[in-house]
Amino acid sequence: MREYLLTLCVTVAVTYLLTGPVRKFAIAVGAMPEIRARDVHREPTPRLGGIAMFGGLCAGLLVADHLQNLNGVFELSNEPRALLSGAALIWLVGVLDDKFELDALIKLGAQMISAGVMVMQGLTILWIPVPGIGTVLLTPWQGNLLTVALVVITINAVNFVDGLDGLAAGTVCIATCAFFLYAYRIWFGYGIEAAAPATLFAAILMGMCLGFLPHNMHPARIFMGDSGSMLIGLVLAAAAISVTGQVDPDTMALFAGGERNATHAMLPVFIPLILPLTIIAIPMTDLVLAIVRRTWKGQSPFAADRGHLHHRLLELGHSHSRAVLIMYFWSGLIAFGTVAYSVHSASMWIVLAIAALSAVGLLLLLLPRFTPRAPRWAERLVPPRYRHAERAAEATLQVDAAAEPEPARPIAAGVSGVNGATAIGPRSRFPDRRKAGSSR
C-alpha cells in the first residue's frame, strides 16, 4: 500500500504544480474560447488542463517503474506501455481540439484509434464471466471489438459530464477510488498478481484528478478541456479492461468456492462491461439520455445542448456548488455501494444503508422545492430567503432604499459662513418661480 500511496502523492504533486504554468500557457496561445449558449460560466476561462494531467500520468508511471514492489508490473506486463501510448494519442488530439475545435467525427475516429493501439499491445478483454453461466471465452475479434466499444463509451461518458467546475474530475476520482479498493482487494486479498496493473492505473488516475481539482473547483481558474476529459476516460476504461483481460475467474474460483461463486464475487467489475460501466453510472446515464434526447429531436448525438443532468439541477434551483456536490453524492453512493455489496452480498444492512442513502439523495434533489421558512415572529432574525414571500419583498425594498444615495440639497444664495460655507438666507424660503414653474 505504501508504494501505491507514494505513486498517488507524486502524481498529485506533479499535476498540481504543472497546472499553474499550463494556465499561463493556455492564455498565451489563446486557448480561451468565447462563452457559448450552453456554458454556465460567465467569463472566458483557459482550457488545456489535460497537459498537466498527462504530466501527472507520466510522472506516476515513472515513479512506479522504480519502486521495488511495483516495477514487476512493467516487467511482467505490457499494459503500462499500452496505456501510455493510447493516452498520448488521445491527449494530443484533445490538445488540438482545445485550441482549434476539431470536428466530432474526427475525435471519434481518434478515440477508436487510441483504443486500437492499446488492443494491439495486449490490453484487451479475453473473457466475460456471466452470472449463472460461468466464464464465456471471447474470440479475438469479439474481445477487440468489445474493448474498443468500452473505451469509446467511457471516454464520451466522461466528456459529456464535464459541464460544471470540478464535476468531471471529482466524479471520476470518486469512481476510481471505489475501483482501486476493489482491485487492491483482488490483488492482495486473493493474491492474484494479474490485478496489479489495474490497481496501479487506478492510483495514478486518482492522483491526476486530485491534483487538478484545486484549480478546477468553482470558480474554476482553468478547465481540463477535451485533452483532460478524454484522457481520464481512457485511463479509467483501461483499468477496468485490465482486470477483465488478465484476471482468470478460474483462479478466483479457488478462493470463492466454485466458478459460479467466483463470477458473483467479481460481478462489480464485470457489470461495467454488460450495463456498461456501473462504477461511473452517473456519466453513463447522462450519456444515454443525451443520445436519446438529441436523436429524438433529429439532431446529431454529438450536438451540444443544455439538457445534461447538471443543467437540470441548475434549473431546479440548485446553486453551482450544490449541483456538483449532489452529483458527487450519487456517484459515490453507486460506486461504493456496488463495491460494498460485492464484499458482503449476503448482508441486508448494506442494502438497507443504500436504500436509506438513496432516500437522502432524493431529498437533496428536491431541496429547492422545500426551502424552510422561519416563523413570522422570527422573520426579522433570519436572511430574506427564509422569510415568506411578502416579507422578503418588503425587506428587499428596504435594503434597496437604504442603499440609494441621498439627493443633494440645493444651497440658496446667502451669507458666507465660517470656512467659506454658505449660510441659507431668507430668500431660501421662496423658490425661484421661473425654475419651479412651467417650461414656457
Side-chain angles (χ1 to χ4, degrees), residues 351-363:
V351 177
L352 294 176
I354 294 175
L357 291 175
S358 300
V360 173
L362 292 176
L363 290 178

Side-chain angles (χ1 to χ4, degrees), residues 45-321:
T45 306
R47 295 193 287 187
L48 292 177
I51 296 178
M53 303 180 84
F54 183 75
L57 171 65
C58 296
L61 291 175
L62 182 62
V63 170
D65 190 21
H66 289 80
L67 294 178
Q68 181 178 1
N69 294 330
L70 295 182
N71 60 358
V73 176
F74 299 83
E75 296 175 357
L76 303 177
S77 174
N78 198 40
E79 293 183 10
R81 286 177 288 273
L83 171 65
L84 185 59
S85 57
L89 178 58
I90 199 66
W91 168 77
L92 181 60
V93 175
V95 169
L96 295 177
D97 179 69
D98 289 343
K99 181 62 177 70
F100 301 107
E101 294 285 345
L102 301 180
D103 186 74
L105 293 179
I106 296 178
K107 292 190 292 184
L108 179 61
Q111 296 166 8
M112 299 176 68
I113 294 174
S114 300
V117 168
M118 294 193 299
V119 168
M120 292 176 59
Q121 300 183 61
L123 189 59
T124 183
I125 299 173
L126 302 178
W127 43 64
I128 296 181
V130 179
I133 298 178
T135 303
V136 177
L137 184 65
L138 300 178
T139 64
W141 279 105
Q142 291 174 340
N144 295 343
L145 291 176
L146 186 58
T147 301
V148 172
L150 179 61
V151 172
V152 172
I153 290 174
T154 308
I155 289 175
N156 285 281
V158 176
N159 192 19
F160 276 28
V161 82
D162 185 22
L164 296 179
D165 298 348
L167 181 56
T171 303
V172 172
C173 183
I174 292 172
T176 307
C177 182
F179 185 86
F180 171 80
L181 293 177
Y182 190 81
Y184 185 83
R185 177 172 174 264
I186 295 177
W187 170 204
F188 287 95
Y190 291 102
I192 300 177
E193 191 175 358
T199 311
L200 175 62
F201 296 164
I204 292 176
L205 182 55
M206 278 193 295
M208 295 163 59
C209 296
L210 290 175
F212 184 73
L213 266 176
H215 300 272
N216 191 233
M217 295 302 292
H218 183 70
R221 301 178 67 248
I222 185 174
F223 294 152
M224 68 171 64
D226 283 1
S227 59
S229 62
M230 293 196 299
L231 175 64
I232 61 177
L234 181 138
V235 178
L236 180 60
I241 293 170
S242 176
V243 170
T244 310
Q246 300 299 326
V247 176
D248 189 357
D250 293 335
T251 306
M252 291 284 295
L254 298 177
F255 299 92
E259 186 174 357
R260 290 191 176 185
N261 293 334
T263 301
H264 284 287
M266 297 193 69
L267 187 59
V269 173
F270 300 113
I271 281 180
L273 306 175
I274 304 170
L275 292 182
L277 218 57
T278 296
I279 56 177
I280 53 171
I282 298 298
M284 283 304 308
T285 303
D286 197 13
L287 172 65
V288 174
L289 292 178
I291 293 176
V292 173
R293 179 178 64 253
R294 294 166 185 175
T295 306
W296 184 265
K297 294 180 180 179
Q299 300 176 349
S300 169
F302 300 99
D305 57 13
R306 289 182 60 89
H308 293 287
L309 295 177
H310 49 270
H311 290 137
R312 297 180 183 273
L313 289 175
L314 296 177
E315 292 175 357
L316 286 175
H318 294 285
S319 64
H320 190 292
S321 300

Side-chain angles (χ1 to χ4, degrees), residues 410-418 420-428:
I411 301 177
V415 182
S416 298
V418 183
T422 304
I424 300 177
R427 292 184 58 186
S428 63

